[in-house]
């Protein structure tokens, strides 16, 4: 009987755990595993302590706004939310993943926000809103890029590829899918400087002569 009482007491103690009692750095680490939308819509609203943690620029070194669905990109006003997250990074942004709602204006906003530590932008299925102009400006400003994914962005052409190759000597992974380009523009000396060729991975889905 006493043993059952002890077990029951432990179960109650576990159920009543105070998550607000965790150290802030541990809480921040937990929050960093959540999506950007979850943090902005829900987590920061819980209490003042969590709000304060959600304002820490270290939490916004990674912005993940993918896998939300094209309908949600309208319902949640994701571009506005993304700009808010960029502001909170205070220039510490390193990784950003955007799906459906990426635009040239948003790329310019990242540039104007001074996010020069950016290493890994992922711009997926942005269809007709991201163009050569936006990507060229981004590549020229962010020369430290290591990975780039611009899958399913049909307004991007070989013009942007060449600018990216000239401007980003540290580029190791480059995904550029579902876009028709000519073979001559896929020659490695056109895509990336000679000293970075050995580390470059290019994924192209459609190639024409």
């Amino acid at each position: 009987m006493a043993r059952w009482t002890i077990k029951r007491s432990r179960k109650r103690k576990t159920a009543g755990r105070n998550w607000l009692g965790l150290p802030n750095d541990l809480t921040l680490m937990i929050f960093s595993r959540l999506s950007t939308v979850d943090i902005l819509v829900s987590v920061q609203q819980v209490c003042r302590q969590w709000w304060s943690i959600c304002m820490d620029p270290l939490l916004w070194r990674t912005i993940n706004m993918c896998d939300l669905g094209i309908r949600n990109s309208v319902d949640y006003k994701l571009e506005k939310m993304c700009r808010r997250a960029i502001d909170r990074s205070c220039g510490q942004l390193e990784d950003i993943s955007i799906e459906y709602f990426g635009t040239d204006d948003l790329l310019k906003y990242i540039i104007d926000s001074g996010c020069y530590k950016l290493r890994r932008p992922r711009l997926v299925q942005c269809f007709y809103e991201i163009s050569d102009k936006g990507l060229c400006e981004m590549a020229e400003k962010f020369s430290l890029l290591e990975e780039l994914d611009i899958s399913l962005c049909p307004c991007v052409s070989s013009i942007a590829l060449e600018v990216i190759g000239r401007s980003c000597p540290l580029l190791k992974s480059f995904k550029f899918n579902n876009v028709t380009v000519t073979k001559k523009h896929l020659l490695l000396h056109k895509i990336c400087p000679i000293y970075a060729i050995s580390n470059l991975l290019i994924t192209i889905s459609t190639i024409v002569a």
Side-chain angles (χ1 to χ4, degrees):
M1 184 73 172
R3 185 178 301 174
W4 180 85
T5 303
I6 292 172
K7 286 184 177 179
R8 185 177 180 183
S9 177
R10 287 177 179 172
K11 187 177 292 186
R12 284 181 176 176
K13 188 175 181 180
T14 302
R17 180 176 295 164
N18 181 15
W19 292 100
L20 299 179
L22 292 175
N24 284 357
D25 56 347
L26 180 56
T27 304
L28 188 146
M29 187 181 301
I30 295 171
F31 288 176
S32 68
R33 297 177 178 273
L34 303 176
S35 75
T36 298
V37 173
D38 286 336
I39 295 171
L40 292 174
V41 172
S42 303
V43 174
Q44 69 177 14
Q45 309 294 340
V46 172
C47 63
R48 290 183 179 181
Q49 180 184 349
W50 284 16
W51 173 273
S52 178
I53 294 172
C54 289
M55 297 302 291
D56 191 327
L58 293 179
L59 182 61
W60 305 99
R61 288 182 298 182
T62 297
I63 295 175
N64 180 11
M65 303 187 73
C66 284
D67 303 320
L68 298 171
I70 191 167
R71 181 176 179 179
N72 287 333
S73 69
V74 176
D75 293 345
Y76 280 103
K77 299 181 180 178
L78 293 184
E79 183 169 348
K80 183 177 180 180
M81 294 175 65
C82 187
R83 291 179 183 233
R84 193 182 313 161
I86 292 166
D87 291 341
R88 291 189 183 184
S89 76
C90 297
Q92 302 299 310
L93 180 63
E94 296 180 5
D95 297 73
I96 184 166
S97 298
I98 295 170
E99 188 173 22
Y100 298 122
F101 67 92
T103 64
D104 283 349
D105 287 342
L106 184 56
L107 294 183
K108 188 176 187 306
Y109 192 82
I110 296 173
I111 295 170
D112 293 343
S113 298
C115 299
Y116 298 115
K117 294 184 178 181
L118 186 64
R119 299 291 188 276
R120 291 167 288 275
R122 182 170 177 253
L123 313 168
V124 181
Q125 298 190 72
C126 296
F127 301 114
Y128 300 98
E129 300 299 326
I130 287 183
S131 67
D132 286 338
K133 182 177 182 292
L135 279 173
C136 289
E137 290 178 357
M138 183 187 72
E140 290 168 349
K141 293 293 184 179
F142 300 134
S143 60
L144 298 179
L145 293 186
E146 297 175 0
E147 299 177 14
L148 177 61
D149 185 347
I150 46 175
S151 300
L152 298 174
C153 297
C155 287
V156 178
S157 74
S158 57
I159 295 173
L161 301 189
E162 293 184 16
V163 173
I164 291 168
R166 289 196 305 268
S167 304
C168 305
L170 302 181
L171 197 62
K172 296 178 182 179
S173 176
F174 183 21
K175 295 182 180 180
F176 179 54
N177 297 329
N178 204 35
V179 176
T180 301
V181 296
T182 62
K183 283 186 178 179
K184 67 179 181 179
H185 289 120
L186 294 180
L187 294 175
L188 288 180
H189 72 275
K190 285 286 189 181
I191 298 298
C192 193
I194 190 68
Y195 52 82
I197 285 177
S198 60
N199 293 324
L200 183 63
L201 170 65
I202 305 175
T203 303
I204 308 282
S205 66
T206 307
I207 303 175
V208 296

